[in-house]
């Protein structure tokens, strides 16, 4: 009760010391959330692209399809990366809610979400042997998880004020950086798998279209014209997808998070503020560029569908 | 004195670039059909290796890393004790020996990944 009263007193006073944080932390939260929303489907979809490429490859090399072609990566390993993304998103939301410091109920809800995410991750990996995909990651993430649980406890007990926000940013800095590092390496590796899968799919599509062309040549010019349109659209879509720089998103996220930590420890001069804003805005801008590129690809798909 | 062995990893970016270039070359109409088939076989094999390698990356050997981190902590602890009491210096030698073994194991794990390709 005393803490709640202290919070109310802080709110009544306006908590002006939090003001410099509000915009960058909110921008950071929005960009982290968007990154999670963007990368999540890619992680989920990677096995579908691997299988598709396997099937096309077998056509290209004139071999029978087999059940081995339907295998991808460990779903548990991929699910762990999704959980890790969810934790980053919850962490950013928790910071943003504290920075806003205008709704105790909302803050508690956000903290609970973060706690639920960490618990879910812990449940997912519980009992996994260390040599398995899930077990391997939990060893890597052991420290981050422990620290985050500590962060949750701290957030639940402390009222929102500048010292709390700064302490939690500093305390979470290392585990969050570690989490971003792990995800960045993993997402970059997955993007390489995507890239080569698309290369196989592109060649396979060209081969099948060539076969169709042989059947249509001299018989149905209109259908041949449509085939060319489809091939051009498919090829363009694949090239655009291969050009989207997903791995760079997490690099920008790390730079923005690092800038936040540096700002906390700085004298908070206008130059410190400008540096923080530059990094966080850079991250948000990159996220917007990726979103725009993906929206463009989706729009192309929709356009092709209405033809 | 031998140089410490450096833990190496396969550069999956290089591997992915090779696969893409193989597919680009195999897709060209000015390449002879037999050569295209051979390139496609090679691209198929290399892409399979890349998927395996990335799968292994996702399933990092966390246990070996964990053991090494514990061994580093143990050396720190034993060094601190030895600095306070020189009689405890033999413990440092033992913990450094365990750390060396953990690092060797870690290097072997990395080497295993390298030899896979």
């Amino acid at each position: 009760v005393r803490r709640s009263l202290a919070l109310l007193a802080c709110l009544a006073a306006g908590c002006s010391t939090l003001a410099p944080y509000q915009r960058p932390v909110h921008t950071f939260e929005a960009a982290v959330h968007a990154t999670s929303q963007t990368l999540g489907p890619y992680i989920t979809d990677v096995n579908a692209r691997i299988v598709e490429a396997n099937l096309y490859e077998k056509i290209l090399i004139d071999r029978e399809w087999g059940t081995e072609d339907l295998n991808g990566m460990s779903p548990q390993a991929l699910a762990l990366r999704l959980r890790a993304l969810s934790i980053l998103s919850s962490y950013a939301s928790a910071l943003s809610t504290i920075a806003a410091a205008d709704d105790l109920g909302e803050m508690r809800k956000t903290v609970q979400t973060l706690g639920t995410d960490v618990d879910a991750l812990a449940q997912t990996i519980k009992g996994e042997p260390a040599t398995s995909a899930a077990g391997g990651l939990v060893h890597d993430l052991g420290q981050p998880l422990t620290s985050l649980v500590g962060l949750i406890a701290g957030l639940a007990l402390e009222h929102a004020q500048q010292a709390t926000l700064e302490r939690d940013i500093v305390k979470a800095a290392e585990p969050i950086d570690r989490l971003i590092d792990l995800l960045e390496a993993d997402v970059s590796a997955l993007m390489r798998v995507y890239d080569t899968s698309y290369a196989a799919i592109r060649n396979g599509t060209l081969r099948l279209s060539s076969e169709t062309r042989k059947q249509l040549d001299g018989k149905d010019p209109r259908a041949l014209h449509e085939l060319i349109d489809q091939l051009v659209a498919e090829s363009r879509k694949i090239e655009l997808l291969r050009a989207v720089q997903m791995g760079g998103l997490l690099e920008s996220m790390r730079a923005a998070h690092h800038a936040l930590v540096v700002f906390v420890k700085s004298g908070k001069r206008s130059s410190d503020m400008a540096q923080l804003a530059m990094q966080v805005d850079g991250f948000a801008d990159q996220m917007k560029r990726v979103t725009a590129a993906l929206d463009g690809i989706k729009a192309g798909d929709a356009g092709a569908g209405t033809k | 004195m031998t140089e410490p062995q450096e833990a190496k990893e396969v550069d999956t970016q290089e591997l992915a670039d090779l696969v893409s270039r193989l597919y680009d070359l195999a897709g060209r109409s000015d390449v002879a059909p037999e050569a295209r088939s051979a390139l496609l076989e090679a691209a198929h094999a290399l892409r399979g290796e890349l998927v395996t390698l990335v799968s292994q990356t996702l399933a990092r050997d966390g246990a070996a890393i964990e053991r090494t981190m514990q061994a580093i902590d143990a050396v720190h602890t034993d060094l601190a004790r030895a600095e306070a009491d020189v009689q405890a210096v033999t413990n440092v030698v033992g913990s450094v020996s365990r750390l060396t073994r953990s690092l060797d194991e870690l290097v072997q794990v990395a080497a295993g990944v390298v030899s896979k390709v």
Side-chain angles (χ1 to χ4, degrees), chain A residues 31 74 90 93 113 116 138 158 176 178 196 210 215 256 260 266 275 286 293:
Chain A
S74 153
S90 300
S93 293
T113 304
T116 305
V138 75
E158 298 288 336
I176 290 296
R178 180 103 176 91
T196 54
S210 297
Q215 293 165 11
L260 199 57
S266 74
Q275 185 63 24
Q286 186 171 6

Side-chain angles (χ1 to χ4, degrees), chain A residues 54 57 63 140 186 192, chain B residues 12 23 41 44 47 60:
Chain A
N54 289 346
E57 275 182 337
R63 269 195 228 156
D140 282 354
D186 293 347
R192 282 163 207 150
Chain B
T12 51
Y23 271 116
E41 288 276 2
H44 166 66
R47 194 182 70 84
R60 292 177 189 89

Side-chain angles (χ1 to χ4, degrees), chain A:
Chain A
V1 173
R2 199 162 48 196
R3 286 195 173 102
S4 298
L5 288 173
L7 173 64
L8 289 173
C10 171
L11 293 176
C15 284
S16 59
T17 49
L18 283 169
Y21 287 100
Q22 287 174 351
R23 186 184 164 276
V25 168
H26 179 69
T27 307
F28 180 71
E29 181 212 5
V32 170
H33 187 64
T35 300
S36 177
Q37 294 289 308
T38 301
L39 290 179
Y42 270 79
I43 293 172
T44 307
D45 196 46
V46 70
N47 277 344
R49 292 291 81 75
I50 290 172
V51 169
E52 189 180 354
N54 289 346
L55 298 175
Y56 274 116
E57 275 182 337
K58 287 291 181 74
I59 292 171
L60 287 167
I61 58 177
D62 294 325
R63 269 195 228 156
E64 294 289 317
W65 287 333
T67 50
E68 72 277 8
D69 297 319
L70 304 177
N71 294 332
M73 298 191 176
S74 153
Q76 292 94 331
L78 297 176
L80 277 172
R81 273 71 191 174
L82 290 174
R83 291 280 187 205
L85 273 177
S86 178
I87 284 177
L88 285 178
S89 209
S90 300
Y91 162 74
S93 293
L95 290 186
S96 187
T97 308
I98 298 168
D102 57 357
D103 186 340
L104 185 61
E106 187 61 29
M107 188 171 86
R108 196 169 284 134
K109 201 170 119 191
T110 309
V111 168
Q112 279 169 353
T113 304
L114 178 56
T116 305
D117 280 341
V118 172
D119 284 347
L121 180 61
Q123 285 301 316
T124 306
I125 56 192
K126 200 174 171 185
E128 288 282 344
T131 48
S132 72
L137 188 69
V138 75
H139 280 280
D140 282 354
L141 292 184
Q143 181 57 31
L145 284 180
T146 308
S147 303
L148 277 171
V149 171
L151 171 66
I152 294 163
L155 288 173
L157 291 172
E158 298 288 336
H159 57 76
Q161 57 179 343
Q162 185 186 13
T164 305
L165 180 64
E166 291 183 347
R167 188 205 60 203
D168 289 331
I169 289 172
V170 172
K171 199 199 280 181
E174 196 183 331
I176 290 296
D177 275 350
R178 180 103 176 91
L179 203 56
I180 295 171
D181 283 348
L182 285 167
L183 271 175
E184 187 192 355
D186 293 347
V187 167
S188 294
L190 289 176
M191 288 304 133
R192 282 163 207 150
V193 170
Y194 258 104
D195 192 59
T196 54
S197 296
Y198 280 132
I201 292 167
R202 185 167 175 256
N203 274 37
T205 305
L206 189 63
R207 168 73 66 87
L208 288 183
S209 297
S210 297
E211 296 297 323
T212 310
R213 177 190 161 185
K214 285 177 193 165
Q215 293 165 11
L216 295 174
D217 263 347
K219 296 174 194 161
D220 191 345
R222 188 188 172 89
L224 194 56
H225 186 71
E226 285 173 4
L227 177 70
I228 291 170
D229 282 350
Q230 283 170 12
L231 189 56
V232 169
E234 188 64 21
S235 178
R236 183 171 179 275
K237 180 184 161 189
I238 288 174
E239 288 312 305
L240 288 173
L241 283 167
R242 291 176 77 179
V244 178
Q245 296 296 314
M246 295 288 181
L249 279 176
L250 286 160
E251 198 179 328
S252 290
M253 186 194 289
R254 183 179 42 210
H257 181 246
H258 178 72
L260 199 57
V261 176
V262 168
F263 180 71
V264 166
K265 295 174 177 173
S266 74
K268 298 178 184 62
R269 295 181 298 267
S270 57
S271 58
D272 300 320
M273 190 72 208
Q275 185 63 24
L276 172 62
M278 189 182 79
Q279 292 290 351
V280 173
D281 289 349
F283 172 34
D285 287 347
Q286 186 171 6
M287 186 59 240
K288 280 178 194 160
R289 282 196 296 275
V290 168
T291 305
L294 292 174
D295 285 348
I297 294 167
K298 275 184 202 159
D301 274 353
T306 54
K307 265 192 167 181

